[in-house]
């Protein structure tokens, strides 16, 4: 049976997730839900190795969600909300992440990536390609050079 692991630091969002602890404990599925709390970079890297899908239900993000980039860069498929895609430089309709804006759509993304090996492999490869092409240091350098060159014309 699949399990859910929640990791989070001291941010406001992590505090909101911590409020779920009593409901999780009362659930008949409590043994399959694990609240990890704040994780160091090394601990997070180890968690990435142990799991099949990175789930990031972000509701009010600003900037770029670096944990999503880290997951994609390790070939771990990502499920998030529209807020979680901000700053990732995604092309419309060709996203390497599965976006669910409703609870049902979000759950469908998670279930598909947990159970469909072909979808998992496609998402894994697409995330790696996107990080290499767009979000890596080289990708960012190319984007800046393209902007500079475009401004000269």
């Amino acid at each position: 049976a699949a399990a859910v692991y929640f990791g989070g630091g001291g941010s406001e969002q992590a505090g909101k997730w911590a409020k779920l602890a009593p409901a999780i404990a009362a659930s008949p599925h409590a043994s399959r839900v694990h609240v990890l709390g704040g994780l160091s970079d090394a601990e997070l890297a180890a968690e990435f190795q142990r799991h099949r899908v990175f789930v990031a239900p972000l509701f009010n993000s600003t900037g770029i969600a670096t944990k999503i980039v880290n997951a994609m860069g390790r070939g771990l498929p990502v499920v998030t909300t529209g807020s979680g895609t901000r700053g990732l430089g995604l092309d419309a309709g060709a996203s390497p992440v599965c976006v669910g804006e409703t609870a049902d759509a979000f759950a469908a993304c998670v279930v598909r990536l947990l159970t469909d090996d072909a979808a998992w492999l496609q998402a894994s490869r697409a995330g790696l390609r996107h990080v290499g092409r767009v979000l890596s240091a080289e990708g960012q350098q190319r984007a800046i050079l393209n902007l500079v060159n475009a401004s000269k014309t």
Side-chain angles (χ1 to χ4, degrees):
V4 176
Y5 293 80
F6 287 102
S11 71
E12 178 184 332
Q13 242 177 19
K16 288 179 182 177
W17 284 107
K19 292 178 184 176
L20 290 175
I24 291 168
S27 166
H29 305 289
S31 65
R32 295 180 13 210
V33 178
H34 310 276
V35 179
L36 303 175
L39 300 172
S40 68
D41 288 343
E43 291 168 328
L44 184 61
E47 289 299 324
F48 283 152
Q49 295 298 315
R50 285 192 274 272
H51 303 289
R52 184 170 167 99
V53 179
F54 183 75
V55 178
L58 303 177
F59 304 107
N60 58 351
S61 66
T62 59
I64 189 168
T66 56
K67 301 294 188 279
I68 289 176
V69 175
N70 290 337
M72 289 190 330
R74 288 177 171 80
L76 190 62
V78 172
V79 177
T80 190
T81 55
S83 291
T85 65
R86 288 190 187 133
L88 296 180
L90 300 175
D91 296 327
S95 179
V97 300
C98 192
V99 177
E101 290 295 353
T102 66
D104 288 343
F106 197 90
C109 284
V110 173
V111 169
R112 184 167 39 100
L113 291 170
L114 286 174
T115 60
D116 183 335
D117 290 339
W120 184 93
L121 186 60
Q122 180 182 5
S124 174
R125 289 178 176 166
L128 285 167
R129 275 192 309 273
H130 185 74
V131 168
R133 184 177 54 82
V134 177
L135 300 171
S136 66
E138 295 82 12
Q140 294 295 301
Q141 184 179 21
R142 274 192 307 275
I144 292 169
L145 288 173
N146 288 341
L147 286 172
V148 169
N149 290 333
S151 70
K152 291 180 181 179
T153 59

